[in-house]
Amino acid sequence: MDTIQAFWQRFLKALNKPENTTYISCFHFELTEHLANELLALVLKGQKKATASSLLAYEIEKEPLPKIGELSIVTDFNGTPRCVIETQAVTIIPFNEMTYDICKREGEDDTLESWQAGHRKFFSAEGKIVGYEFREDLPVVFEDFKVIYQED
């Protein structure tokens, strides 16, 4: 299995980045192997260009919110690094004020109702793990990103 550090070094060299360039996080999408790898595939083919997270999860876990220009490594479910993304925009919006024009950038759903159903399920499951309860006005951190490096 490729190490995160070796992958990061190849990224730095390929894009001629300074050695002191850092990444903010290294993660996989979703809570299950099937969904994590399915969403990764959408990212790698350019369909998924955004992600939604619970603001409450950031607060409970004392994690800083993403910022424009930050870099992250996206892995498959098993932790193998697959691409580097750069944050392009961060918007906080209540769950019940989400629009299809916004959520379609996630590349996962054909309708707002489908997005809501899937994310209700995700936020409810995550809330049980992290320690918050889903509610319709849950603040959602919506992060737009672009893939700036990937390996085959």
Side-chain angles (χ1 to χ4, degrees), residues 16-32:
N16 237 1
K17 296 276 189 185
E19 281 293 315
N20 63 349
T21 302
T22 59
Y23 58 92
I24 299 306
S25 62
C26 180
F27 69 95
H28 63 76
F29 293 103
E30 266 291 348
L31 302 173
T32 66

Side-chain angles (χ1 to χ4, degrees), residues 50-105:
T51 191
S53 308
S54 162
L55 178 61
L56 298 180
Y58 280 100
E59 292 173 348
I60 291 167
E61 295 179 336
K62 296 181 176 30
E63 292 287 331
L65 291 175
K67 294 179 183 69
I68 294 171
E70 288 182 337
L71 305 176
S72 295
I73 298 172
V74 182
T75 71
D76 63 17
F77 188 78
N78 294 320
T80 303
R82 296 297 309 277
C83 67
V84 177
I85 59 173
E86 180 179 348
T87 301
Q88 301 294 297
V90 179
T91 308
I92 299 175
I93 184 169
F95 182 87
N96 57 4
E97 292 180 23
M98 183 62 70
T99 66
Y100 185 65
D101 277 345
I102 296 172
C103 73
K104 71 181 179 184
R105 298 193 303 257

Side-chain angles (χ1 to χ4, degrees), residues 51-55 57-58 122-123 126 132 138-143:
T51 191
S53 308
S54 162
L55 178 61
Y58 280 100
F122 172 80
F123 290 136
E126 180 191 59
Y132 69 86
L138 178 82
V140 174
V141 178
F142 196 84
E143 178 184 358

